[in-house]
Amino acid sequence: MYDLHDIVEMKKPHPCGTNRWEIIRMGADIKIQCTGCGHIVMMPRREFDHKLKKLLEKAEK
């Protein structure tokens, strides 16, 4: 469904005003980085799946 370096949209927007996040690490935990301000958030995969709204862009291989 989603992979490393994909751009995703979460259910709640980031306080900086953007709602585009890049997946920068995958594993048991997923680390995402805000494309607007560069803030990094790490959360368990289960929590990420719950908060994910939709996939915006697939990463180019």
Side-chain angles (χ1 to χ4, degrees), residues 5-51:
H5 301 294
D6 286 351
I7 305 294
V8 296
E9 181 179 347
M10 304 305 278
K11 288 182 181 175
K12 292 186 179 179
H14 193 246
C16 75
T18 60
N19 199 7
R20 293 172 56 90
W21 298 82
E22 179 183 357
I23 300 172
I24 57 173
R25 180 182 183 274
M26 296 208 32
D29 294 327
I30 294 184
K31 190 182 283 187
I32 55 177
Q33 182 173 18
C34 178
T35 58
C37 65
H39 184 79
I40 295 174
V41 177
M42 189 166 181
M43 65 183 76
R45 184 181 287 261
R46 187 171 176 189
E47 182 181 342
F48 177 81
D49 288 340
H50 179 72
K51 292 183 175 185

